[in-house]
Amino acid sequence: TFVYPEWASCSLGVFICLACSGIHRNIQEISKVKSVGLSHWEDQELEFMAKNGNEPTKKIYEATVPVYYYKPNHKDCQVLREQWIRAKYERKEFSEAGRNLIYEEGTRDGMLMKRGRDNGQFLNRRFVLSEREGTLKYFTKFDAKDPKAVIKVDTINATFKPEKIGNPNGLQITYLKAYSTRNIFVYHDSSKEIVDWFNSIRAVQLHYLKVAFPGATDAELVPKLTRNFLKEGYMEKTGPRQTEGFKKRWFTLDHRRLMYFKDPLDAFAKGEVFLGNKDHGYQIFPGLPSGTHHNGSWQHGITIKTPERCFLFTCETEEDQESWMKHFSDVMSAPMSPQEFASKYSELHFNCLLHL
């Protein structure tokens, strides 16, 4: 259902939502915000709105947005929406063709606050992104010769998680390390700086993919860049024998990978479940098999059946159960790519059996 916007920028000539109106108010030298129904409008302001509007203005301020640049929507966090608005209207990054954008410099070198794997403290760490090497490195000291980690850009996912990390600019970077998922959590006090890092990673990823898949179109490659998790939250699970007690775990659904952690900020997943296509023996059912030893307090069960075994989970509420099941069903209904078939056997699937 279409909802008429209640706010507008009379200086830019665009209608805006409530959430973005607050961001526009913070750049008053560029954007003058008014209520559509409650503010007094001068005749020239109404004429300006009628002459412009969202689509014509978009053609001006979004004329040259690179395909890798993440264009946030109303569901995205504040930092992404704010920097998108500032990039368009304040810095006018996408209004002229041929502009040298900071995301396309091929390398990025700077300091980010990184959460320690063991002690949970955030410490300043040097990060270096290289298009030529196709890597993201980080160093424990600024002048250290050897990096603490070398991360291949094709294994990286990055997504903003301000509430989980406890910082409005919090970014979660996930990558594969020795066939296991590794999480690092970073932030920068500057919202522009952290979003610049995010889009620079996407730019380097796109460059890598274009080299790796020279015949692919941008439309085919962009979905392979960083992506938001489909769902996160707590469920209870039991082990492979299904006689162990149900334990509360934090779950992250990243496309076909269902990862579970003891704590949301753990560096490594305790295990992973690969969710293949329903035509290849992957199924989902509400509830638990009869006779299941269930000691947990959560009663809303989910059973995932794979070609190898069944995975049993319980949710706290029926609403949560329905939400998880919808996401699982959507993933299992989607066709698998050749890369996903390969990843099932080479990197991910065996992790299902490693840990409780």
Side-chain angles (χ1 to χ4, degrees):
T1 304
F2 178 78
V3 178
Y4 286 95
E6 298 179 2
W7 301 90
S9 170
C10 62
S11 56
L12 293 171
V14 295
F15 293 95
I16 52 181
C17 67
L18 175 62
C20 289
S21 68
I23 300 172
H24 278 261
R25 289 182 192 278
N26 290 331
I27 48 174
Q28 295 180 4
E29 64 277 12
I30 304 294
S31 188
K32 182 180 178 182
V33 177
K34 284 193 170 187
S35 167
V36 172
L38 300 178
S39 297
H40 171 74
W41 287 77
E42 301 291 344
D43 289 344
Q44 61 268 31
E45 292 173 337
L46 294 172
E47 291 173 6
F48 185 76
M49 291 294 298
K51 187 185 301 183
N52 292 278
N54 288 48
E55 285 305 314
T57 304
K58 180 179 179 179
K59 292 178 181 178
I60 297 172
Y61 290 100
E62 298 182 31
T64 61
V65 180
V67 293
Y68 61 77
Y69 192 97
Y70 184 83
K71 296 166 67 171
N73 59 43
H74 67 284
K75 294 181 180 180
D76 283 302
C77 62
Q78 172 87 2
V79 65
L80 277 171
R81 289 185 287 110
E82 178 188 349
Q83 289 307 310
W84 167 237
I85 289 169
R86 289 186 179 275
K88 282 198 297 182
Y89 301 123
E90 187 178 51
R91 300 192 292 271
K92 298 181 180 178
E93 292 183 10
F94 317 122
S95 299
E96 300 175 15
R99 253 188 101 161
N100 293 324
L101 298 176
I102 194 171
Y103 327 106
E104 298 174 1
E105 293 181 349
T107 183
R108 188 173 185 86
D109 189 330
M111 305 297 287
L112 296 173
M113 298 296 289
K114 175 188 171 294
R115 187 179 190 272
R117 185 181 70 180
D118 300 319
N119 58 20
Q121 292 183 328
F122 280 90
L123 298 172
N124 229 358
R125 294 291 183 253
R126 181 188 176 202
F127 283 77
V128 178
L129 176 68
S130 171
E131 180 181 275
R132 182 177 59 83
E133 297 179 5
T135 59
L136 175 67
K137 302 176 183 178
Y138 77 86
F139 302 78
T140 54
K141 295 181 180 179
F142 183 81
D143 56 354
K145 292 183 178 179
D146 298 319
K148 177 70 173 178
V150 179
I151 308 165
K152 295 181 179 179
V153 295
D154 60 317
T155 73
I156 289 178
N157 189 24
T159 182
F160 281 91
K161 289 292 176 183
E163 293 182 1
K164 184 163 73 172
I165 296 173
N167 186 284
N169 300 338
L171 182 68
Q172 178 175 345
I173 297 174
T174 301
Y175 62 98
L176 291 178
K177 179 179 180 181
Y179 302 115
S180 295
T181 298
R182 169 76 160 100
N183 293 325
I184 57 176
F185 304 94
V186 298
Y187 74 85
H188 196 283
D189 289 334
S190 164
S191 58
K192 180 182 183 301
E193 183 74 10
I194 196 68
V195 175
D196 285 353
W197 270 101
F198 175 67
N199 280 303
S200 295
I201 289 171
R202 289 174 60 88
V204 170
Q205 285 183 321
L206 183 63
H207 177 268
Y208 174 89
L209 289 170
K210 284 189 171 183
V211 173
F213 305 99
T217 64
D218 287 341
E220 292 170 325
L221 296 179
V222 168
K224 299 180 184 297
L225 306 184
T226 65
R227 61 205 171 271
N228 294 324
F229 297 142
L230 296 177
K231 185 173 174 64
E232 284 195 299
Y234 283 107
M235 290 192 290
E236 292 180 336
K237 74 173 293 292
T238 187
R241 293 188 298 274
Q242 300 177 6
T243 57
E244 306 90 337
F246 278 74
K247 297 179 180 179
K248 186 178 178 181
R249 296 288 183 249
W250 177 265
F251 285 81
T252 297
L253 180 59
D254 185 4
H255 194 44
R256 294 197 182 277
R257 295 158 57 209
L258 177 63
M259 300 167 282
Y260 52 95
F261 307 82
K262 189 174 182 180
D263 183 88
L265 295 177
D266 281 349
F268 288 96
K270 291 186 70 65
E272 302 183 11
V273 181
F274 181 87
L275 303 181
N277 183 271
K278 61 184 180 181
D279 294 332
H280 295 92
Y282 292 85
Q283 296 175 283
I284 179 171
F285 307 97
L288 303 176
S290 61
T292 301
H293 174 70
H294 180 226
N295 66 322
S297 58
W298 293 358
Q299 303 300 317
H300 305 280
I302 298 175
T303 299
I304 292 179
K305 184 179 180 181
T306 75
E308 286 77 23
R309 58 168 280 203
C310 288
F311 295 86
L312 309 184
F313 312 99
T314 55
C315 301
E316 186 174 16
T317 66
E318 185 177 358
E319 181 183 8
D320 219 13
Q321 177 200 39
E322 291 174 354
S323 176
W324 278 110
M325 287 194 63
K326 182 184 184 306
H327 282 93
F328 293 152
S329 179
D330 289 346
V331 170
M332 292 180 186
S333 297
M336 288 176 62
S337 69
Q339 291 84 3
E340 288 170 341
F341 273 111
S343 70
K344 171 188 173 183
Y345 296 104
S346 64
E347 296 179 332
L348 302 176
H349 192 62
F350 82 100
N351 282 315
C352 305
L353 307 176
L354 289 182
H355 306 282
L356 290 179

